[in-house]
Amino acid sequence: DVQLVKSGGGSVQTGGSLRLSCVWKGSGYKSYCLGWFRQAPGKEREYISAIEGDRIMRYSDSVKGRFTISKDSAKNTLYLQMTSLGPEDVAMYYCAARPYYGDTPICGETPGFFNSWGQGTQVTVS
């Protein structure tokens, strides 16, 4: 199991930027699937992007070219850099993880694939 602590949410003007951070805490694992999701009121949880081991997976079309996923393994920290934010980006943002004992994880893109979740942070654009 992995514990996740997220920070960096808040309110920004249209066209502004935010960076979300998520610290993962686990032991005894060799690799991780790490992902970002978001959920607006009344909507299903939406895949944003993920990192499969050290490989950056695809971005959803809604954020492609505006959001960047990255990690700092030395700090056990996952990042989501968001730029050109608009009202369509207003949602609760979640980080997620699934640990592996092996070196080469195979990562899914559905919420059900991930078994550890952060508490979520609200992003508001005005």
PDB file of all heavy atoms in Angstrom, residues 16-18 20 36-38 46-49 56-70 79-86 88-91 93 123 125:
ATOM      1  N   GLY A  16      -4.014  31.347 -16.353  1.00  0.00           N
ATOM      2  CA  GLY A  16      -2.952  31.189 -15.383  1.00  0.00           C
ATOM      3  C   GLY A  16      -2.450  29.766 -15.275  1.00  0.00           C
ATOM      4  O   GLY A  16      -2.874  28.868 -16.012  1.00  0.00           O
ATOM      5  N   SER A  17      -1.547  29.567 -14.323  1.00  0.00           N
ATOM      6  CA  SER A  17      -0.882  28.283 -14.140  1.00  0.00           C
ATOM      7  C   SER A  17      -0.920  27.849 -12.684  1.00  0.00           C
ATOM      8  O   SER A  17      -0.977  28.678 -11.769  1.00  0.00           O
ATOM      9  CB  SER A  17       0.584  28.368 -14.594  1.00  0.00           C
ATOM     10  OG  SER A  17       0.684  28.731 -15.954  1.00  0.00           O
ATOM     11  N   LEU A  18      -0.881  26.559 -12.484  1.00  0.00           N
ATOM     12  CA  LEU A  18      -0.760  25.957 -11.164  1.00  0.00           C
ATOM     13  C   LEU A  18       0.106  24.718 -11.274  1.00  0.00           C
ATOM     14  O   LEU A  18       0.129  24.058 -12.308  1.00  0.00           O
ATOM     15  CB  LEU A  18      -2.121  25.564 -10.589  1.00  0.00           C
ATOM     16  CG  LEU A  18      -3.049  26.656 -10.074  1.00  0.00           C
ATOM     17  CD1 LEU A  18      -4.406  26.045  -9.723  1.00  0.00           C
ATOM     18  CD2 LEU A  18      -2.453  27.348  -8.860  1.00  0.00           C
ATOM     19  N   LEU A  20       0.611  21.141  -9.160  1.00  0.00           N
ATOM     20  CA  LEU A  20       0.189  20.233  -8.118  1.00  0.00           C
ATOM     21  C   LEU A  20       1.328  19.290  -7.763  1.00  0.00           C
ATOM     22  O   LEU A  20       2.076  18.849  -8.642  1.00  0.00           O
ATOM     23  CB  LEU A  20      -1.030  19.415  -8.559  1.00  0.00           C
ATOM     24  CG  LEU A  20      -2.249  20.198  -9.053  1.00  0.00           C
ATOM     25  CD1 LEU A  20      -3.375  19.231  -9.381  1.00  0.00           C
ATOM     26  CD2 LEU A  20      -2.694  21.221  -8.027  1.00  0.00           C
ATOM     27  N   TRP A  36      -2.519  11.007 -12.573  1.00  0.00           N
ATOM     28  CA  TRP A  36      -3.356  12.138 -12.196  1.00  0.00           C
ATOM     29  C   TRP A  36      -4.736  11.965 -12.823  1.00  0.00           C
ATOM     30  O   TRP A  36      -4.855  11.607 -14.005  1.00  0.00           O
ATOM     31  CB  TRP A  36      -2.762  13.464 -12.657  1.00  0.00           C
ATOM     32  CG  TRP A  36      -1.561  13.912 -11.892  1.00  0.00           C
ATOM     33  CD1 TRP A  36      -0.265  13.807 -12.259  1.00  0.00           C
ATOM     34  CD2 TRP A  36      -1.568  14.560 -10.614  1.00  0.00           C
ATOM     35  NE1 TRP A  36       0.562  14.343 -11.302  1.00  0.00           N
ATOM     36  CE2 TRP A  36      -0.218  14.814 -10.279  1.00  0.00           C
ATOM     37  CE3 TRP A  36      -2.567  14.952  -9.729  1.00  0.00           C
ATOM     38  CZ2 TRP A  36       0.144  15.445  -9.079  1.00  0.00           C
ATOM     39  CZ3 TRP A  36      -2.200  15.569  -8.541  1.00  0.00           C
ATOM     40  CH2 TRP A  36      -0.863  15.812  -8.236  1.00  0.00           C
ATOM     41  N   PHE A  37      -5.751  12.252 -12.021  1.00  0.00           N
ATOM     42  CA  PHE A  37      -7.137  12.240 -12.463  1.00  0.00           C
ATOM     43  C   PHE A  37      -7.820  13.508 -11.978  1.00  0.00           C
ATOM     44  O   PHE A  37      -7.334  14.178 -11.073  1.00  0.00           O
ATOM     45  CB  PHE A  37      -7.884  11.016 -11.913  1.00  0.00           C
ATOM     46  CG  PHE A  37      -7.410   9.702 -12.457  1.00  0.00           C
ATOM     47  CD1 PHE A  37      -6.266   9.098 -11.967  1.00  0.00           C
ATOM     48  CD2 PHE A  37      -8.120   9.064 -13.462  1.00  0.00           C
ATOM     49  CE1 PHE A  37      -5.831   7.889 -12.462  1.00  0.00           C
ATOM     50  CE2 PHE A  37      -7.695   7.844 -13.969  1.00  0.00           C
ATOM     51  CZ  PHE A  37      -6.549   7.262 -13.468  1.00  0.00           C
ATOM     52  N   ARG A  38      -8.962  13.811 -12.569  1.00  0.00           N
ATOM     53  CA  ARG A  38      -9.773  14.915 -12.078  1.00  0.00           C
ATOM     54  C   ARG A  38     -11.244  14.561 -12.200  1.00  0.00           C
ATOM     55  O   ARG A  38     -11.637  13.740 -13.017  1.00  0.00           O
ATOM     56  CB  ARG A  38      -9.468  16.218 -12.817  1.00  0.00           C
ATOM     57  CG  ARG A  38      -9.859  16.225 -14.290  1.00  0.00           C
ATOM     58  CD  ARG A  38      -9.417  17.526 -14.938  1.00  0.00           C
ATOM     59  NE  ARG A  38      -9.796  17.611 -16.340  1.00  0.00           N
ATOM     60  CZ  ARG A  38      -9.475  18.619 -17.134  1.00  0.00           C
ATOM     61  NH1 ARG A  38      -8.757  19.641 -16.660  1.00  0.00           N
ATOM     62  NH2 ARG A  38      -9.864  18.616 -18.404  1.00  0.00           N
ATOM     63  N   GLU A  46     -11.893  11.548 -14.552  1.00  0.00           N
ATOM     64  CA  GLU A  46     -11.266  11.631 -15.857  1.00  0.00           C
ATOM     65  C   GLU A  46      -9.757  11.423 -15.756  1.00  0.00           C
ATOM     66  O   GLU A  46      -9.082  12.072 -14.946  1.00  0.00           O
ATOM     67  CB  GLU A  46     -11.554  13.001 -16.496  1.00  0.00           C
ATOM     68  CG  GLU A  46     -10.879  13.229 -17.842  1.00  0.00           C
ATOM     69  CD  GLU A  46     -10.997  14.659 -18.327  1.00  0.00           C
ATOM     70  OE1 GLU A  46     -11.411  15.530 -17.528  1.00  0.00           O
ATOM     71  OE2 GLU A  46     -10.689  14.918 -19.504  1.00  0.00           O
ATOM     72  N   TYR A  47      -9.240  10.558 -16.599  1.00  0.00           N
ATOM     73  CA  TYR A  47      -7.806  10.350 -16.711  1.00  0.00           C
ATOM     74  C   TYR A  47      -7.136  11.575 -17.290  1.00  0.00           C
ATOM     75  O   TYR A  47      -7.610  12.154 -18.273  1.00  0.00           O
ATOM     76  CB  TYR A  47      -7.547   9.132 -17.604  1.00  0.00           C
ATOM     77  CG  TYR A  47      -6.116   8.939 -18.038  1.00  0.00           C
ATOM     78  CD1 TYR A  47      -5.210   8.257 -17.234  1.00  0.00           C
ATOM     79  CD2 TYR A  47      -5.677   9.418 -19.270  1.00  0.00           C
ATOM     80  CE1 TYR A  47      -3.907   8.062 -17.640  1.00  0.00           C
ATOM     81  CE2 TYR A  47      -4.373   9.230 -19.683  1.00  0.00           C
ATOM     82  CZ  TYR A  47      -3.492   8.552 -18.872  1.00  0.00           C
ATOM     83  OH  TYR A  47      -2.198   8.358 -19.280  1.00  0.00           O
ATOM     84  N   ILE A  48      -6.016  11.980 -16.702  1.00  0.00           N
ATOM     85  CA  ILE A  48      -5.226  13.094 -17.218  1.00  0.00           C
ATOM     86  C   ILE A  48      -3.944  12.573 -17.865  1.00  0.00           C
ATOM     87  O   ILE A  48      -3.701  12.785 -19.050  1.00  0.00           O
ATOM     88  CB  ILE A  48      -4.880  14.100 -16.111  1.00  0.00           C
ATOM     89  CG1 ILE A  48      -6.159  14.743 -15.570  1.00  0.00           C
ATOM     90  CG2 ILE A  48      -3.920  15.165 -16.629  1.00  0.00           C
ATOM     91  CD1 ILE A  48      -5.939  15.645 -14.380  1.00  0.00           C
ATOM     92  N   SER A  49      -3.122  11.907 -17.079  1.00  0.00           N
ATOM     93  CA  SER A  49      -1.888  11.322 -17.565  1.00  0.00           C
ATOM     94  C   SER A  49      -1.331  10.414 -16.481  1.00  0.00           C
ATOM     95  O   SER A  49      -1.842  10.382 -15.361  1.00  0.00           O
ATOM     96  CB  SER A  49      -0.858  12.401 -17.943  1.00  0.00           C
ATOM     97  OG  SER A  49       0.255  11.829 -18.614  1.00  0.00           O
ATOM     98  N   ILE A  56       6.572   8.231 -19.489  1.00  0.00           N
ATOM     99  CA  ILE A  56       5.396   9.087 -19.465  1.00  0.00           C
ATOM    100  C   ILE A  56       4.380   8.568 -20.472  1.00  0.00           C
ATOM    101  O   ILE A  56       4.683   8.411 -21.655  1.00  0.00           O
ATOM    102  CB  ILE A  56       5.768  10.544 -19.773  1.00  0.00           C
ATOM    103  CG1 ILE A  56       6.703  11.074 -18.684  1.00  0.00           C
ATOM    104  CG2 ILE A  56       4.523  11.401 -19.881  1.00  0.00           C
ATOM    105  CD1 ILE A  56       7.198  12.467 -18.924  1.00  0.00           C
ATOM    106  N   MET A  57       3.190   8.308 -19.989  1.00  0.00           N
ATOM    107  CA  MET A  57       2.128   7.797 -20.830  1.00  0.00           C
ATOM    108  C   MET A  57       1.390   8.953 -21.507  1.00  0.00           C
ATOM    109  O   MET A  57       1.736  10.127 -21.333  1.00  0.00           O
ATOM    110  CB  MET A  57       1.174   6.950 -19.991  1.00  0.00           C
ATOM    111  CG  MET A  57       1.847   5.717 -19.381  1.00  0.00           C
ATOM    112  SD  MET A  57       0.841   4.852 -18.154  1.00  0.00           S
ATOM    113  CE  MET A  57      -0.577   4.363 -19.124  1.00  0.00           C
ATOM    114  N   ARG A  58       0.375   8.613 -22.271  1.00  0.00           N
ATOM    115  CA  ARG A  58      -0.331   9.614 -23.053  1.00  0.00           C
ATOM    116  C   ARG A  58      -1.062  10.615 -22.160  1.00  0.00           C
ATOM    117  O   ARG A  58      -1.352  10.360 -20.996  1.00  0.00           O
ATOM    118  CB  ARG A  58      -1.339   8.931 -23.983  1.00  0.00           C
ATOM    119  CG  ARG A  58      -2.558   8.399 -23.256  1.00  0.00           C
ATOM    120  CD  ARG A  58      -3.566   7.784 -24.217  1.00  0.00           C
ATOM    121  NE  ARG A  58      -4.795   7.420 -23.517  1.00  0.00           N
ATOM    122  CZ  ARG A  58      -5.835   8.234 -23.362  1.00  0.00           C
ATOM    123  NH1 ARG A  58      -5.803   9.457 -23.878  1.00  0.00           N
ATOM    124  NH2 ARG A  58      -6.917   7.829 -22.702  1.00  0.00           N
ATOM    125  N   TYR A  59      -1.356  11.780 -22.751  1.00  0.00           N
ATOM    126  CA  TYR A  59      -2.215  12.772 -22.134  1.00  0.00           C
ATOM    127  C   TYR A  59      -3.607  12.698 -22.741  1.00  0.00           C
ATOM    128  O   TYR A  59      -3.768  12.411 -23.929  1.00  0.00           O
ATOM    129  CB  TYR A  59      -1.667  14.180 -22.338  1.00  0.00           C
ATOM    130  CG  TYR A  59      -0.382  14.463 -21.600  1.00  0.00           C
ATOM    131  CD1 TYR A  59       0.857  14.175 -22.169  1.00  0.00           C
ATOM    132  CD2 TYR A  59      -0.398  15.035 -20.328  1.00  0.00           C
ATOM    133  CE1 TYR A  59       2.030  14.435 -21.492  1.00  0.00           C
ATOM    134  CE2 TYR A  59       0.771  15.298 -19.652  1.00  0.00           C
ATOM    135  CZ  TYR A  59       1.980  14.996 -20.232  1.00  0.00           C
ATOM    136  OH  TYR A  59       3.149  15.261 -19.559  1.00  0.00           O
ATOM    137  N   SER A  60      -4.600  12.974 -21.927  1.00  0.00           N
ATOM    138  CA  SER A  60      -5.940  13.084 -22.474  1.00  0.00           C
ATOM    139  C   SER A  60      -6.011  14.276 -23.423  1.00  0.00           C
ATOM    140  O   SER A  60      -5.278  15.259 -23.284  1.00  0.00           O
ATOM    141  CB  SER A  60      -6.976  13.232 -21.360  1.00  0.00           C
ATOM    142  OG  SER A  60      -6.825  14.474 -20.696  1.00  0.00           O
ATOM    143  N   ASP A  61      -6.910  14.190 -24.402  1.00  0.00           N
ATOM    144  CA  ASP A  61      -7.018  15.260 -25.390  1.00  0.00           C
ATOM    145  C   ASP A  61      -7.384  16.597 -24.752  1.00  0.00           C
ATOM    146  O   ASP A  61      -6.992  17.657 -25.254  1.00  0.00           O
ATOM    147  CB  ASP A  61      -8.054  14.891 -26.452  1.00  0.00           C
ATOM    148  CG  ASP A  61      -7.594  13.770 -27.359  1.00  0.00           C
ATOM    149  OD1 ASP A  61      -6.371  13.527 -27.437  1.00  0.00           O
ATOM    150  OD2 ASP A  61      -8.453  13.138 -27.999  1.00  0.00           O
ATOM    151  N   SER A  62      -8.104  16.567 -23.666  1.00  0.00           N
ATOM    152  CA  SER A  62      -8.561  17.797 -23.041  1.00  0.00           C
ATOM    153  C   SER A  62      -7.433  18.606 -22.417  1.00  0.00           C
ATOM    154  O   SER A  62      -7.589  19.813 -22.211  1.00  0.00           O
ATOM    155  CB  SER A  62      -9.628  17.495 -21.984  1.00  0.00           C
ATOM    156  OG  SER A  62      -9.109  16.675 -20.955  1.00  0.00           O
ATOM    157  N   VAL A  63      -6.300  17.973 -22.111  1.00  0.00           N
ATOM    158  CA  VAL A  63      -5.197  18.674 -21.466  1.00  0.00           C
ATOM    159  C   VAL A  63      -3.920  18.656 -22.289  1.00  0.00           C
ATOM    160  O   VAL A  63      -2.944  19.330 -21.915  1.00  0.00           O
ATOM    161  CB  VAL A  63      -4.904  18.090 -20.071  1.00  0.00           C
ATOM    162  CG1 VAL A  63      -6.169  18.032 -19.231  1.00  0.00           C
ATOM    163  CG2 VAL A  63      -4.269  16.709 -20.178  1.00  0.00           C
ATOM    164  N   LYS A  64      -3.900  17.943 -23.378  1.00  0.00           N
ATOM    165  CA  LYS A  64      -2.694  17.785 -24.183  1.00  0.00           C
ATOM    166  C   LYS A  64      -2.167  19.148 -24.632  1.00  0.00           C
ATOM    167  O   LYS A  64      -2.914  19.980 -25.138  1.00  0.00           O
ATOM    168  CB  LYS A  64      -2.985  16.906 -25.390  1.00  0.00           C
ATOM    169  CG  LYS A  64      -1.749  16.492 -26.186  1.00  0.00           C
ATOM    170  CD  LYS A  64      -2.142  15.660 -27.402  1.00  0.00           C
ATOM    171  CE  LYS A  64      -2.967  14.447 -27.019  1.00  0.00           C
ATOM    172  NZ  LYS A  64      -3.359  13.639 -28.206  1.00  0.00           N
ATOM    173  N   GLY A  65      -0.873  19.362 -24.433  1.00  0.00           N
ATOM    174  CA  GLY A  65      -0.252  20.612 -24.796  1.00  0.00           C
ATOM    175  C   GLY A  65      -0.296  21.670 -23.718  1.00  0.00           C
ATOM    176  O   GLY A  65       0.391  22.693 -23.834  1.00  0.00           O
ATOM    177  N   ARG A  66      -1.080  21.449 -22.674  1.00  0.00           N
ATOM    178  CA  ARG A  66      -1.209  22.418 -21.588  1.00  0.00           C
ATOM    179  C   ARG A  66      -0.698  21.885 -20.256  1.00  0.00           C
ATOM    180  O   ARG A  66      -0.213  22.655 -19.433  1.00  0.00           O
ATOM    181  CB  ARG A  66      -2.666  22.844 -21.424  1.00  0.00           C
ATOM    182  CG  ARG A  66      -3.258  23.500 -22.664  1.00  0.00           C
ATOM    183  CD  ARG A  66      -4.640  24.078 -22.368  1.00  0.00           C
ATOM    184  NE  ARG A  66      -5.597  23.044 -21.981  1.00  0.00           N
ATOM    185  CZ  ARG A  66      -6.223  23.001 -20.804  1.00  0.00           C
ATOM    186  NH1 ARG A  66      -6.000  23.943 -19.895  1.00  0.00           N
ATOM    187  NH2 ARG A  66      -7.088  22.032 -20.541  1.00  0.00           N
ATOM    188  N   PHE A  67      -0.832  20.583 -20.027  1.00  0.00           N
ATOM    189  CA  PHE A  67      -0.428  19.971 -18.769  1.00  0.00           C
ATOM    190  C   PHE A  67       0.821  19.132 -18.986  1.00  0.00           C
ATOM    191  O   PHE A  67       1.009  18.532 -20.056  1.00  0.00           O
ATOM    192  CB  PHE A  67      -1.531  19.064 -18.215  1.00  0.00           C
ATOM    193  CG  PHE A  67      -2.752  19.777 -17.703  1.00  0.00           C
ATOM    194  CD1 PHE A  67      -2.976  21.118 -17.963  1.00  0.00           C
ATOM    195  CD2 PHE A  67      -3.687  19.079 -16.951  1.00  0.00           C
ATOM    196  CE1 PHE A  67      -4.105  21.770 -17.491  1.00  0.00           C
ATOM    197  CE2 PHE A  67      -4.818  19.713 -16.473  1.00  0.00           C
ATOM    198  CZ  PHE A  67      -5.034  21.058 -16.741  1.00  0.00           C
ATOM    199  N   THR A  68       1.660  19.051 -17.955  1.00  0.00           N
ATOM    200  CA  THR A  68       2.875  18.252 -18.007  1.00  0.00           C
ATOM    201  C   THR A  68       3.003  17.445 -16.723  1.00  0.00           C
ATOM    202  O   THR A  68       2.978  18.010 -15.629  1.00  0.00           O
ATOM    203  CB  THR A  68       4.118  19.130 -18.193  1.00  0.00           C
ATOM    204  OG1 THR A  68       4.001  19.903 -19.390  1.00  0.00           O
ATOM    205  CG2 THR A  68       5.372  18.252 -18.292  1.00  0.00           C
ATOM    206  N   ILE A  69       3.152  16.139 -16.864  1.00  0.00           N
ATOM    207  CA  ILE A  69       3.359  15.273 -15.720  1.00  0.00           C
ATOM    208  C   ILE A  69       4.855  15.002 -15.568  1.00  0.00           C
ATOM    209  O   ILE A  69       5.581  14.865 -16.555  1.00  0.00           O
ATOM    210  CB  ILE A  69       2.572  13.953 -15.871  1.00  0.00           C
ATOM    211  CG1 ILE A  69       2.586  13.146 -14.570  1.00  0.00           C
ATOM    212  CG2 ILE A  69       3.103  13.118 -17.025  1.00  0.00           C
ATOM    213  CD1 ILE A  69       1.658  11.936 -14.595  1.00  0.00           C
ATOM    214  N   SER A  70       5.317  14.942 -14.340  1.00  0.00           N
ATOM    215  CA  SER A  70       6.716  14.643 -14.075  1.00  0.00           C
ATOM    216  C   SER A  70       6.842  14.080 -12.670  1.00  0.00           C
ATOM    217  O   SER A  70       5.885  14.103 -11.888  1.00  0.00           O
ATOM    218  CB  SER A  70       7.601  15.887 -14.238  1.00  0.00           C
ATOM    219  OG  SER A  70       7.247  16.893 -13.305  1.00  0.00           O
ATOM    220  N   TYR A  79       4.397  15.398  -9.899  1.00  0.00           N
ATOM    221  CA  TYR A  79       3.976  16.756 -10.211  1.00  0.00           C
ATOM    222  C   TYR A  79       3.012  16.778 -11.386  1.00  0.00           C
ATOM    223  O   TYR A  79       3.071  15.940 -12.285  1.00  0.00           O
ATOM    224  CB  TYR A  79       5.170  17.641 -10.573  1.00  0.00           C
ATOM    225  CG  TYR A  79       6.216  17.764  -9.498  1.00  0.00           C
ATOM    226  CD1 TYR A  79       7.380  17.008  -9.553  1.00  0.00           C
ATOM    227  CD2 TYR A  79       6.045  18.644  -8.433  1.00  0.00           C
ATOM    228  CE1 TYR A  79       8.352  17.127  -8.577  1.00  0.00           C
ATOM    229  CE2 TYR A  79       7.011  18.764  -7.453  1.00  0.00           C
ATOM    230  CZ  TYR A  79       8.156  18.006  -7.528  1.00  0.00           C
ATOM    231  OH  TYR A  79       9.127  18.126  -6.552  1.00  0.00           O
ATOM    232  N   LEU A  80       2.143  17.767 -11.376  1.00  0.00           N
ATOM    233  CA  LEU A  80       1.339  18.094 -12.533  1.00  0.00           C
ATOM    234  C   LEU A  80       1.412  19.604 -12.733  1.00  0.00           C
ATOM    235  O   LEU A  80       0.864  20.368 -11.931  1.00  0.00           O
ATOM    236  CB  LEU A  80      -0.116  17.653 -12.365  1.00  0.00           C
ATOM    237  CG  LEU A  80      -1.005  17.891 -13.581  1.00  0.00           C
ATOM    238  CD1 LEU A  80      -0.575  16.991 -14.747  1.00  0.00           C
ATOM    239  CD2 LEU A  80      -2.476  17.655 -13.248  1.00  0.00           C
ATOM    240  N   GLN A  81       2.118  20.021 -13.783  1.00  0.00           N
ATOM    241  CA  GLN A  81       2.204  21.428 -14.139  1.00  0.00           C
ATOM    242  C   GLN A  81       1.069  21.751 -15.103  1.00  0.00           C
ATOM    243  O   GLN A  81       0.959  21.135 -16.157  1.00  0.00           O
ATOM    244  CB  GLN A  81       3.552  21.737 -14.778  1.00  0.00           C
ATOM    245  CG  GLN A  81       3.730  23.184 -15.211  1.00  0.00           C
ATOM    246  CD  GLN A  81       3.795  24.132 -14.042  1.00  0.00           C
ATOM    247  OE1 GLN A  81       4.529  23.899 -13.087  1.00  0.00           O
ATOM    248  NE2 GLN A  81       3.032  25.211 -14.102  1.00  0.00           N
ATOM    249  N   MET A  82       0.246  22.707 -14.743  1.00  0.00           N
ATOM    250  CA  MET A  82      -0.918  23.074 -15.526  1.00  0.00           C
ATOM    251  C   MET A  82      -0.779  24.516 -15.989  1.00  0.00           C
ATOM    252  O   MET A  82      -0.518  25.413 -15.184  1.00  0.00           O
ATOM    253  CB  MET A  82      -2.199  22.910 -14.707  1.00  0.00           C
ATOM    254  CG  MET A  82      -2.376  21.514 -14.122  1.00  0.00           C
ATOM    255  SD  MET A  82      -3.937  21.328 -13.217  1.00  0.00           S
ATOM    256  CE  MET A  82      -3.624  22.417 -11.828  1.00  0.00           C
ATOM    257  N   THR A  83      -0.950  24.743 -17.279  1.00  0.00           N
ATOM    258  CA  THR A  83      -0.878  26.076 -17.857  1.00  0.00           C
ATOM    259  C   THR A  83      -2.123  26.347 -18.686  1.00  0.00           C
ATOM    260  O   THR A  83      -2.882  25.443 -19.017  1.00  0.00           O
ATOM    261  CB  THR A  83       0.377  26.245 -18.727  1.00  0.00           C
ATOM    262  OG1 THR A  83       0.323  25.337 -19.832  1.00  0.00           O
ATOM    263  CG2 THR A  83       1.636  25.974 -17.927  1.00  0.00           C
ATOM    264  N   SER A  84      -2.318  27.617 -19.035  1.00  0.00           N
ATOM    265  CA  SER A  84      -3.453  28.043 -19.858  1.00  0.00           C
ATOM    266  C   SER A  84      -4.773  27.528 -19.310  1.00  0.00           C
ATOM    267  O   SER A  84      -5.627  27.025 -20.050  1.00  0.00           O
ATOM    268  CB  SER A  84      -3.255  27.589 -21.309  1.00  0.00           C
ATOM    269  OG  SER A  84      -2.072  28.129 -21.857  1.00  0.00           O
ATOM    270  N   LEU A  85      -4.944  27.663 -18.019  1.00  0.00           N
ATOM    271  CA  LEU A  85      -6.127  27.123 -17.367  1.00  0.00           C
ATOM    272  C   LEU A  85      -7.378  27.911 -17.733  1.00  0.00           C
ATOM    273  O   LEU A  85      -7.349  29.134 -17.875  1.00  0.00           O
ATOM    274  CB  LEU A  85      -5.940  27.122 -15.855  1.00  0.00           C
ATOM    275  CG  LEU A  85      -4.950  26.078 -15.328  1.00  0.00           C
ATOM    276  CD1 LEU A  85      -4.541  26.398 -13.903  1.00  0.00           C
ATOM    277  CD2 LEU A  85      -5.562  24.683 -15.410  1.00  0.00           C
ATOM    278  N   GLY A  86      -8.471  27.198 -17.872  1.00  0.00           N
ATOM    279  CA  GLY A  86      -9.761  27.794 -18.172  1.00  0.00           C
ATOM    280  C   GLY A  86     -10.859  27.184 -17.329  1.00  0.00           C
ATOM    281  O   GLY A  86     -10.619  26.246 -16.551  1.00  0.00           O
ATOM    282  N   GLU A  88     -13.077  25.140 -17.985  1.00  0.00           N
ATOM    283  CA  GLU A  88     -13.248  23.706 -18.227  1.00  0.00           C
ATOM    284  C   GLU A  88     -12.341  22.847 -17.366  1.00  0.00           C
ATOM    285  O   GLU A  88     -12.539  21.631 -17.275  1.00  0.00           O
ATOM    286  CB  GLU A  88     -13.016  23.390 -19.710  1.00  0.00           C
ATOM    287  CG  GLU A  88     -11.570  23.532 -20.187  1.00  0.00           C
ATOM    288  CD  GLU A  88     -11.215  24.949 -20.605  1.00  0.00           C
ATOM    289  OE1 GLU A  88     -11.976  25.888 -20.300  1.00  0.00           O
ATOM    290  OE2 GLU A  88     -10.162  25.123 -21.258  1.00  0.00           O
ATOM    291  N   ASP A  89     -11.349  23.453 -16.722  1.00  0.00           N
ATOM    292  CA  ASP A  89     -10.408  22.721 -15.885  1.00  0.00           C
ATOM    293  C   ASP A  89     -10.808  22.695 -14.418  1.00  0.00           C
ATOM    294  O   ASP A  89     -10.098  22.103 -13.600  1.00  0.00           O
ATOM    295  CB  ASP A  89      -9.004  23.316 -16.017  1.00  0.00           C
ATOM    296  CG  ASP A  89      -8.477  23.243 -17.439  1.00  0.00           C
ATOM    297  OD1 ASP A  89      -8.531  22.147 -18.037  1.00  0.00           O
ATOM    298  OD2 ASP A  89      -8.017  24.283 -17.957  1.00  0.00           O
ATOM    299  N   VAL A  90     -11.906  23.335 -14.061  1.00  0.00           N
ATOM    300  CA  VAL A  90     -12.363  23.354 -12.678  1.00  0.00           C
ATOM    301  C   VAL A  90     -12.790  21.946 -12.279  1.00  0.00           C
ATOM    302  O   VAL A  90     -13.667  21.344 -12.910  1.00  0.00           O
ATOM    303  CB  VAL A  90     -13.505  24.347 -12.483  1.00  0.00           C
ATOM    304  CG1 VAL A  90     -14.071  24.233 -11.067  1.00  0.00           C
ATOM    305  CG2 VAL A  90     -13.027  25.765 -12.756  1.00  0.00           C
ATOM    306  N   ALA A  91     -12.169  21.413 -11.239  1.00  0.00           N
ATOM    307  CA  ALA A  91     -12.448  20.049 -10.806  1.00  0.00           C
ATOM    308  C   ALA A  91     -11.683  19.762  -9.526  1.00  0.00           C
ATOM    309  O   ALA A  91     -10.831  20.546  -9.094  1.00  0.00           O
ATOM    310  CB  ALA A  91     -12.051  19.035 -11.886  1.00  0.00           C
ATOM    311  N   TYR A  93      -8.858  17.447  -8.209  1.00  0.00           N
ATOM    312  CA  TYR A  93      -7.745  16.733  -8.814  1.00  0.00           C
ATOM    313  C   TYR A  93      -7.186  15.709  -7.835  1.00  0.00           C
ATOM    314  O   TYR A  93      -6.986  16.010  -6.652  1.00  0.00           O
ATOM    315  CB  TYR A  93      -6.650  17.705  -9.240  1.00  0.00           C
ATOM    316  CG  TYR A  93      -6.998  18.455 -10.500  1.00  0.00           C
ATOM    317  CD1 TYR A  93      -7.993  19.423 -10.508  1.00  0.00           C
ATOM    318  CD2 TYR A  93      -6.345  18.176 -11.704  1.00  0.00           C
ATOM    319  CE1 TYR A  93      -8.334  20.094 -11.662  1.00  0.00           C
ATOM    320  CE2 TYR A  93      -6.675  18.855 -12.866  1.00  0.00           C
ATOM    321  CZ  TYR A  93      -7.670  19.810 -12.841  1.00  0.00           C
ATOM    322  OH  TYR A  93      -7.997  20.478 -14.004  1.00  0.00           O
ATOM    323  N   VAL A 123      -9.236  22.672  -7.739  1.00  0.00           N
ATOM    324  CA  VAL A 123      -8.705  23.685  -8.637  1.00  0.00           C
ATOM    325  C   VAL A 123      -9.866  24.507  -9.163  1.00  0.00           C
ATOM    326  O   VAL A 123     -10.825  23.962  -9.721  1.00  0.00           O
ATOM    327  CB  VAL A 123      -7.910  23.065  -9.800  1.00  0.00           C
ATOM    328  CG1 VAL A 123      -7.544  24.134 -10.836  1.00  0.00           C
ATOM    329  CG2 VAL A 123      -6.656  22.385  -9.267  1.00  0.00           C
ATOM    330  N   VAL A 125     -10.913  28.064 -11.436  1.00  0.00           N
ATOM    331  CA  VAL A 125     -10.481  29.043 -12.416  1.00  0.00           C
ATOM    332  C   VAL A 125     -11.589  30.065 -12.583  1.00  0.00           C
ATOM    333  O   VAL A 125     -12.745  29.714 -12.824  1.00  0.00           O
ATOM    334  CB  VAL A 125     -10.144  28.391 -13.769  1.00  0.00           C
ATOM    335  CG1 VAL A 125      -9.605  29.439 -14.740  1.00  0.00           C
ATOM    336  CG2 VAL A 125      -9.133  27.268 -13.579  1.00  0.00           C
TER     337      VAL A 125
END
